[in-house]
Amino acid sequence: MNDKKLKDMWNKAETLMEASAYESSSIEQFISGRSNDTTQKIRNMIIFDLVLKALALCALAIDFVLYFGTTNVMSVTVAGVAILIPLIFMQYKLLNRFSEAADNGQTTRNKLASMLTYLKTKFFTTLLSVSGTYLFVFIAGSLLYFYAAYGYVRPLDGVDFVVFLTFIILGIVLNFVVNHGQVKYHIKHLEICLNDLNDQNLKLVSENIELQRKRDRANKLLLALVLVLGILLLIIVFKNIGFIAK
Amino acid sequence: MKNRNANKTEFSELIEKHQAIIHKITMVYANGQSNREDLFQEICLQLWRSYPRFRNESKFSTWMYRVALNTAISDIRKKKTDIHFEQLHDNDRLETAPSDEKEQVKLLYRAISKLNRIDKALILLWLEEKSYDEIASILGISKTNVSVKLVRIKQKLEEMIFKIQ
């Protein structure tokens, strides 16, 4: 079968299969709709996290005003704000990086390679940052709740403490597991496509990923430190070491 | 907001004019009417989202192929139905066509459906009379790679069509 015959068959298909012609009004509706794409889900997760972090920041600022004069609680809110602001900047930067990686306007090779690099190097950092948000939302929200309910930070007993920590850790772990599973499948798909595009592509991208991973090690350590600091803040708030804010 | 809405209308008209490109891609990448409609909508949405970054550095149709193919290749949603090609083409669009022509088209689509996602993109662009340069610039591979791959894919298609026949 020669090239001409293949093209003739293709052109016949074009004339035989009259595709449903959409009016521009229908297309306008399509572009106003919601995307079911996996990349869109990841982008939404990052945007939602940014909103949540911003809300936690506002709540901590309100806590600062409400507990004004109570040095220890004020210190906790200031520390929370000081940690949250760089985290918001970092997450915003990650959102931009992700948008660049997910841009469909680049060549197929670049799109596949940049998405794979992002998912293999930055996604873990994104998840760590998302997980950290739970802690800050919990701290800020609890402070507001305690102020409304008691007017001061009620010291928690051992059982309260275990229950709260279990919920937070479960939230973080579940978030990790669900997203990790979804991304693992996406990574496998990207690897297959890159390999199909060119046998050498995957090797080259893997080398870039290794390099990127080494560079990002510091970021991951920093984020892990923030998570530990967040947990420490939580303990300080609820243990009320040596003080009760009245 | 008004500017954005005006842009939206202008963009929709542009897509309406070039929608054949998207239809061809959905025919190759999706099975069943509802999956094709879903992919069509997704491609329109991704085109709209990428539109602000379109800088007229390439032809609009080239850019459209790039975004649409990238969307189709990356589409890993669970398919609603998995209808076989015989069923698909008997059911909807080929009812009125003469049977030998219908058979030929069915054969070609059935063979293309067996290719991997990247090979589908390559053969589709070639069948659409795109030059090797354009194919290379859409997929991001070298011209030599395009020509080597196309020889292999055409051979594969030929074998598959022969086998199915």
Side-chain angles (χ1 to χ4, degrees):
Chain A
M1 189 180 289
N2 58 25
D3 292 0
K4 195 180 168 300
K5 198 166 179 201
L6 269 178
K7 282 190 180 171
D8 281 347
M9 280 164 91
W10 177 257
N11 292 333
K12 243 177 242 167
E14 201 180 321
T15 45
L16 293 178
M17 292 176 201
E18 291 162 35
S20 37
Y22 291 108
E23 304 262 318
S24 65
S25 54
S26 310
I27 294 168
E28 217 171 308
Q29 268 182 346
F30 293 160
I31 63 178
S32 307
R34 277 182 61 188
S35 169
N36 283 315
D37 191 35
T38 320
T39 50
Q40 194 55 41
K41 283 177 191 155
I42 298 175
R43 185 180 285 124
N44 288 346
M45 181 187 85
I46 303 175
I47 293 172
F48 180 71
D49 182 60
L50 268 171
V51 172
L52 217 59
K53 277 193 169 81
L55 282 175
L57 191 78
C58 293
L60 280 172
I62 295 170
D63 287 330
F64 180 84
V65 176
L66 293 177
Y67 290 97
F68 196 79
T70 316
T71 328
N72 290 299
V73 180
M74 277 167 65
S75 322
V76 167
T77 57
V78 169
V81 169
I83 296 170
L84 264 179
I85 290 174
L87 273 183
I88 288 174
F89 274 109
M90 201 191 81
Q91 193 70 316
Y92 181 71
K93 249 176 81 181
L94 281 173
L95 178 66
N96 284 340
R97 288 287 288 273
F98 181 75
S99 300
E100 276 169 32
D103 175 28
N104 278 316
Q106 46 189 334
T107 64
T108 305
R109 187 205 169 276
N110 287 352
K111 156 87 202 260
L112 296 172
S114 54
M115 270 304 286
L116 187 64
T117 310
Y118 181 91
L119 292 179
K120 279 203 160 182
T121 57
K122 301 266 179 246
F123 192 70
F124 184 72
T125 317
T126 309
L127 274 186
L128 263 180
S129 177
V130 169
S131 304
T133 312
Y134 285 100
L135 278 167
F136 294 99
V137 168
F138 190 78
I139 293 170
S142 306
L143 284 175
L144 284 176
Y145 169 75
F146 282 130
Y147 188 84
Y150 310 103
Y152 65 96
V153 180
R154 178 175 72 86
L156 300 181
D157 59 24
V159 179
D160 288 335
F161 210 70
V162 169
V163 171
F164 283 144
L165 263 185
T166 309
F167 271 113
I168 289 172
I169 289 167
L170 261 180
I172 293 172
V173 171
L174 272 178
N175 186 40
F176 242 91
V177 171
V178 169
N179 284 303
H180 191 256
Q182 207 173 12
V183 163
K184 223 170 110 180
Y185 181 65
H186 202 149
I187 286 175
K188 208 175 143 197
H189 172 80
L190 290 169
E191 282 175 343
I192 291 170
C193 289
L194 259 174
N195 207 34
D196 289 339
L197 199 57
N198 185 333
D199 300 344
Q200 294 301 309
N201 270 341
L202 202 55
K203 207 179 138 210
L204 277 171
V205 174
S206 297
E207 283 167 10
N208 282 342
I209 288 171
E210 265 321 297
L211 201 77
Q212 192 73 42
R213 267 194 184 144
K214 277 179 195 157
R215 282 186 196 149
D216 285 348
R217 209 159 281 164
N219 272 344
K220 279 177 198 155
L221 275 173
L222 215 70
L223 265 170
L225 194 74
V226 165
L227 272 178
V228 173
L229 272 174
I231 292 173
L232 277 177
L233 281 182
L234 192 77
I235 294 170
I236 292 169
V237 173
F238 297 118
K239 271 257 172 184
N240 274 319
I241 306 163
F243 67 89
I244 294 176
K246 289 198 180 181
Chain B
M1 184 58 94
K2 198 181 166 190
N3 198 18
R4 178 93 176 150
N5 281 341
N7 251 349
K8 211 180 228 186
T9 312
E10 196 185 298
F11 175 80
S12 303
E13 282 163 5
L14 204 57
I15 297 296
E16 187 190 357
K17 219 162 72 185
H18 290 87
Q19 65 177 298
I21 294 176
I22 312 177
H23 280 300
K24 280 172 200 158
I25 292 172
T26 60
M27 291 297 285
V28 166
Y29 280 91
N31 282 350
Q33 184 66 25
S34 92
N35 284 327
R36 282 204 302 265
E37 275 169 17
D38 281 355
L39 186 57
F40 190 97
Q41 289 184 24
E42 189 64 51
I43 290 173
C44 286
L45 195 59
Q46 294 304 328
L47 281 165
W48 170 240
R49 288 189 174 155
S50 302
Y51 191 51
R53 292 193 199 100
F54 173 58
R55 306 246 181 274
N56 281 312
E57 284 159 0
S58 56
K59 278 194 280 179
F60 182 76
S61 63
T62 306
W63 172 80
M64 218 173 140
Y65 269 114
R66 194 181 280 167
V67 175
L69 282 172
N70 281 344
T71 309
I73 290 169
S74 314
D75 185 46
I76 52 167
R77 279 172 291 163
K78 215 175 170 190
K79 303 286 173 266
K80 282 180 192 162
T81 47
D82 191 17
I83 300 166
H84 278 284
F85 266 76
E86 295 98 307
Q87 251 182 300
L88 164 81
H89 297 308
D90 280 343
N91 282 346
D92 44 25
R93 291 177 180 169
L94 288 166
E95 279 303 317
T96 52
S99 63
D100 57 329
E101 284 186 337
K102 199 163 84 174
E103 282 307 313
Q104 277 200 330
V105 174
K106 259 202 300 194
L107 218 60
L108 178 66
Y109 269 89
R110 213 190 307 170
I112 293 177
S113 76
K114 291 188 194 303
L115 297 173
N116 69 46
R117 290 180 189 227
I118 299 297
D119 289 354
K120 275 181 188 171
L122 264 154
I123 199 72
L124 187 141
L125 291 168
W126 177 76
L127 288 167
E128 283 292 294
E129 307 281 358
K130 296 280 163 207
S131 68
Y132 283 14
D133 270 328
E134 258 183 296
I135 299 177
S137 87
I138 289 170
L139 297 178
I141 52 176
S142 70
K143 238 169 88 176
T144 326
N145 206 347
V146 170
S147 94
V148 171
K149 274 184 161 293
L150 272 173
V151 170
R152 198 178 43 78
I153 298 166
K154 279 187 266 180
Q155 216 170 347
K156 219 196 272 181
L157 266 183
E158 216 172 296
E159 278 167 24
M160 278 195 283
I161 291 173
F162 184 73
K163 230 188 254 176
I164 300 168
Q165 266 177 332

